[in-house]
Amino acid sequence: MLEKIESCLKEFISCLQVTRMYPAWHPQFKKSIDKAYLSLKDVLKDRQDLTIGIIGEELVFEKEIFFELSKMSALIIRYLKERGVERIIFLPGLESEELSRFVSFLLTPKEEVQRPPQEYLNLLGVKNIAVGKIKAPAAAASAEDKVAKSMTYLSTYENSLGEVTRSLEAVLNEETIDYLALRLTVTDVMENLLGRYQHFLTFAALKRYDVRTFFHLLNVSILSMYFSSKIGFAKEEILDIGTAALFHDIGKTYISRKLIQKSDKLTEEEFTQMKSHVIVGTEILLKYVDTLGILPVVVCFEHHLKYNLKGYPKVSFYQKPHIASMIVSLCDIYDALSQRRSYKSDYPPEMIYDLMLRQKGDVFEPQLLERFFRVIGVWPVGTLLLLSDGRVAVAREENEDDIFCPKVEVIAPADKKETIDLKALKGKIKIERSLNPLTSGKEYLPLI
């Protein structure tokens, strides 16, 4: 029986993994529901119920802990716990439609539910599945609360970086990719990081000395997905763009990791060699079309073409780059300018805006560039700012119709703190310049 229950659990976890990537109308969604349902019914025919719990980071059934399955299901376990689901009870009367509704509930963004999980399921007509938290002794609950409160955006970001690194290393070593794990990671990034994009921008500012290529690739992926979501792409398209962004520079990494981190500028010969990375990367990714699809190949080949097609590689056709390529290229350049490298200093946000605006119509598609800065702003959320009245503030929200006047929170001096909409002040208070969080703004970091 234990083997049958473990097999059933595997089918259920697999169902959650698959259905997180496909909408309810997709054939893969129904196929995964059907397989999980048949497996559950097979177990329930011999039992009064099937109760599955999550203790810490492990899946448990009665006194059994499924360590290996828990390790493989880490993202799903975290996903369930974030939705207040630590215990699931399946009853013998379970219908396929109830399982489908239950899975759809688990896929619904937390902010849209607005009710306790069990109450929400009751409203959906799900009578044969019960969910809730696992009751624990007061001391244990208190300890868990402390752990939960200490979970920050940083740990979420670092976990995602670790998962992404495994997939990128597999491609670099010409090994098989666990596409499902990769897709789940990208989905997890989209659902857990994009909604807290303010924290990402703040964290990115603090990581400007980090020259790891994979860090840059994850940043570009997050930026690309965030921007794509803001300009109206559907969920599946956003995931595809995010995945393509992760692999857009795989050829550069493949050619020479040491070359990327040189302390001096590249020689002309080395620069020519690096320019070939789009071809090398394209050839690598062509081997993974059956796994990753064709979009990463297209984006890898085109992301240095430029809007006017005068970049590289040289092409004989005159078709403009794919929209995904232009999005990734824009985000790639923006992030590269934002980071401190071994061969250059980082640029303040206002300078990045000026530099990129000069390439409007040449490197960048004009409307796309304008829309990007309406979303990101000249001074992104989280940027430390010196105001014209001498106070120090942090950008908290963009005004898309006036990108030079965000809403800011004054953080110093302590007796003059307030939130200001610079647009509403009509020039009475302006932004003098940004403050580098690693130098001139370092003393204000604890106040953000």
Side-chain angles (χ1 to χ4, degrees), residues 283-350:
E283 291 173 345
I284 292 172
L285 293 175
L286 279 171
K287 300 174 184 176
Y288 291 88
V289 169
D290 290 343
T291 306
L292 297 174
I294 195 63
L295 191 61
V297 177
V298 173
V299 170
C300 178
F301 183 81
E302 293 184 341
H303 75 279
H304 281 298
L305 271 182
K306 299 183 180 180
Y307 177 65
N308 61 11
L309 301 179
K310 293 184 178 180
Y312 60 89
K314 296 300 180 183
V315 293
S316 58
F317 55 84
Y318 293 94
Q319 181 176 331
K320 295 299 181 185
H322 192 284
I323 181 66
S325 302
M326 291 192 286
I327 288 172
V328 171
S329 174
L330 201 163
C331 295
D332 177 35
I333 292 173
Y334 183 84
D335 185 70
L337 290 172
S338 300
Q339 306 307 320
R340 182 182 292 271
R341 303 295 189 195
S342 57
Y343 51 83
K344 75 167 185 67
S345 299
D346 54 323
Y347 297 111
E350 55 270 32

Side-chain angles (χ1 to χ4, degrees), residues 164-350:
V164 164
T165 296
R166 277 186 275 279
S167 295
L168 291 165
E169 291 284 3
V171 172
L172 288 169
N173 296 326
E174 299 186 35
E175 300 169 348
T176 302
I177 298 177
D178 185 341
Y179 177 70
L180 185 57
L182 173 64
R183 191 72 166 185
L184 281 169
T185 299
V186 177
T187 301
D188 197 54
V189 167
M190 185 181 75
E191 293 177 346
N192 292 298
L193 301 189
L194 297 196
R196 295 192 290 272
Y197 193 68
Q198 171 180 327
H199 301 282
F200 166 69
L201 288 170
T202 303
F203 177 61
L206 301 182
K207 297 285 285 183
R208 284 182 176 171
Y209 283 101
D210 192 327
V211 296
R212 288 177 294 168
T213 303
F214 294 165
F215 167 80
H216 169 65
L217 295 178
L218 181 56
N219 285 0
V220 175
S221 180
I222 296 174
L223 275 167
S224 298
M225 288 195 288
Y226 179 72
F227 182 44
S228 299
S229 70
K230 286 293 187 178
I231 59 178
F233 280 85
K235 177 180 176 180
E236 286 189 73
E237 294 170 326
I238 294 169
L239 290 173
D240 288 341
I241 291 171
T243 301
L246 284 175
F247 291 94
H248 80 279
D249 257 349
I250 197 73
K252 182 180 291 185
T253 309
Y254 185 84
I255 288 174
S256 174
R257 297 182 183 185
K258 291 183 180 179
L259 197 59
I260 296 171
Q261 297 186 23
K262 273 193 61 177
S263 58
D264 301 321
K265 291 184 178 180
L266 299 180
T267 65
E268 188 173 336
E269 181 181 350
E270 288 170 338
F271 184 67
T272 300
Q273 184 183 3
M274 288 309 300
K275 285 173 68 174
S276 71
H277 79 270
V278 293
I279 302 298
V280 173
T282 299
E283 291 173 345
I284 292 172
L285 293 175
L286 279 171
K287 300 174 184 176
Y288 291 88
V289 169
D290 290 343
T291 306
L292 297 174
I294 195 63
L295 191 61
V297 177
V298 173
V299 170
C300 178
F301 183 81
E302 293 184 341
H303 75 279
H304 281 298
L305 271 182
K306 299 183 180 180
Y307 177 65
N308 61 11
L309 301 179
K310 293 184 178 180
Y312 60 89
K314 296 300 180 183
V315 293
S316 58
F317 55 84
Y318 293 94
Q319 181 176 331
K320 295 299 181 185
H322 192 284
I323 181 66
S325 302
M326 291 192 286
I327 288 172
V328 171
S329 174
L330 201 163
C331 295
D332 177 35
I333 292 173
Y334 183 84
D335 185 70
L337 290 172
S338 300
Q339 306 307 320
R340 182 182 292 271
R341 303 295 189 195
S342 57
Y343 51 83
K344 75 167 185 67
S345 299
D346 54 323
Y347 297 111
E350 55 270 32

